[in-house]
Amino acid sequence: MSLKQRLKKIIKLNLHRGTTFECPFCGFKSRDLEIVGHDLPILKEKHVIGGGRRAAGCYKCNSRDRERLLYAFLIEDLKIGASKNLKILHIAPEPKLSKILQSQNFKEYLCGDLFTEGYVYAENVQNMNVLNLPFQNDHFDYVICNHVLEHIEEDGKAMKEICRVLKIGGKAVLQVPISNNSAMTHEDFTIVDAKKRAALFGQFDHMRIYGQDYVQRLESNGFTVNKINISVKYKKFGLNPEEDLFFCEKPFH
Ligand SMILES: [Zn+2]
């Protein structure tokens, strides 16, 4: 960062310093949140939660509402850090959250991502495909896999695969961008053009926009789903009041 950029940042932090919000990752306390995200008509039209232009960024470390939501849920609400015996798989790990989970000394904390050219991955991330996870059945207590399923054509197969590697009673957090005003998921695999995909699905590499049938899609692929909203309880973290958690469990059959 140049001197000019550093000065600009100091001025920005002083302008927005306050007591309304507190970032759990860097500790910065602010009176508001930074406007982030892309403004696409489809995201507005379909009222997509978890994407689009919104007041959601930490002015200091750039954390977003959806990463802070996971922190609030896993670390503060579930207090998973207290259970050192857990085996956890984190797919496409959010870097700030991953660092915190890594430091908890869980029995197992594994990170995986489908390696794509041009991207740099943290040292602890292994190359893996969520359609074919290199683990035995009933292995993990938790799978964290957020904002991944919307990129995958065979999302049902990915859900089944995540369910397979979970122990019975094991939990998964599977967040996706979801339309608040569409009953049904909108997908069309004949559309392969990046620009068309962006216009229709909100991002060049998204396969769909999920609708309110997302819960049924998870259920039909093996999960029981608990829809939870903790945005009021953890208001200080600056969560999106409309963003529900899809807390999934591998049930006893
Ligand atoms: Zn921060």
Side-chain angles (χ1 to χ4, degrees):
M1 216 188 271
S2 72
L3 182 63
K4 197 178 161 189
Q5 283 170 320
R6 260 186 290 171
L7 281 171
K8 262 184 145 174
K9 179 120 187 190
I10 290 167
I11 292 166
K12 187 164 85 172
L13 292 186
N14 280 326
L15 263 175
H16 295 280
R17 213 175 285 279
T19 53
T20 309
F21 301 111
E22 182 180 352
C23 174
F25 298 113
C26 71
F28 183 64
K29 291 180 182 170
S30 61
R31 58 182 175 84
D32 60 353
L33 297 166
E34 189 159 30
I35 307 284
V36 296
H38 297 290
D39 199 11
L40 278 172
I42 190 74
L43 297 174
K44 242 186 213 161
E45 183 194 315
K46 292 203 170 266
H47 199 143
V48 173
I49 310 300
R53 200 157 170 76
R54 64 208 189 273
C58 168
Y59 286 103
K60 189 170 183 185
C61 75
N62 203 30
S63 75
R64 303 292 164 97
D65 48 357
R66 62 193 212 203
E67 193 172 358
R68 293 191 301 272
L69 173 67
L70 298 174
Y71 175 92
F73 187 54
L74 295 168
I75 305 293
E76 298 273 332
D77 213 57
L78 295 175
K79 299 191 182 352
I80 64 167
S83 314
K84 300 299 178 204
N85 256 335
L86 294 179
K87 292 181 181 173
I88 301 173
L89 174 64
H90 197 168
I91 297 167
E94 297 81 0
K96 293 180 187 75
L97 179 69
S98 183
K99 239 183 177 170
I100 289 174
L101 291 170
Q102 183 78 59
S103 71
Q104 304 292 315
N105 295 315
F106 290 118
K107 191 167 185 181
E108 232 176 74
Y109 175 67
L110 301 176
C111 292
D113 210 334
L114 187 63
F115 284 10
T116 311
E117 245 187 73
Y119 286 87
V120 181
Y121 298 89
E123 219 172 276
N124 63 341
V125 179
Q126 311 168 32
N127 187 12
M128 68 178 77
N129 188 339
V130 71
L131 294 173
N132 185 18
L133 293 169
F135 305 104
Q136 293 189 332
N137 297 352
D138 310 300
H139 184 80
F140 291 101
D141 298 283
Y142 275 89
V143 175
I144 306 164
C145 178
N146 298 303
H147 291 262
V148 170
L149 294 169
E150 69 272 22
H151 294 267
I152 299 173
E153 185 167 335
E154 295 175 285
D155 65 332
K157 197 175 164 191
M159 291 172 193
K160 280 195 184 85
E161 184 64 355
I162 292 168
C163 201
R164 180 185 70 76
V165 300
L166 275 175
K167 292 177 184 171
I168 289 171
K171 309 281 200 290
V173 184
L174 305 174
Q175 300 300 104
V176 293
I178 186 162
S179 165
N180 235 6
N181 62 15
S182 309
M184 302 301 288
T185 293
H186 174 49
E187 59 190 359
D188 182 348
F189 303 134
T190 64
I191 295 160
V192 289
D193 180 70
K195 272 188 187 155
K196 278 186 188 158
R197 274 187 183 164
L200 280 170
F201 307 131
Q203 194 171 303
F204 75 95
D205 58 350
H206 284 186
M207 308 303 292
R208 65 184 65 79
I209 290 182
Y210 286 101
Q212 295 300 312
D213 59 343
Y214 180 52
V215 170
Q216 283 87 53
R217 289 171 84 111
L218 290 164
E219 285 172 345
S220 67
N221 288 294
F223 290 107
T224 54
V225 182
N226 199 356
K227 217 165 121 174
I228 306 169
N229 193 304
I230 59 166
S231 60
V232 173
K233 191 172 176 188
Y234 296 101
K235 213 173 171 189
K236 64 170 177 177
F237 293 145
L239 310 181
N240 180 345
E242 293 183 301
E243 187 165 4
D244 295 320
L245 282 152
F246 296 91
F247 193 39
C248 308
E249 182 174 332
K250 178 171 178 173
F252 294 89
H253 279 297

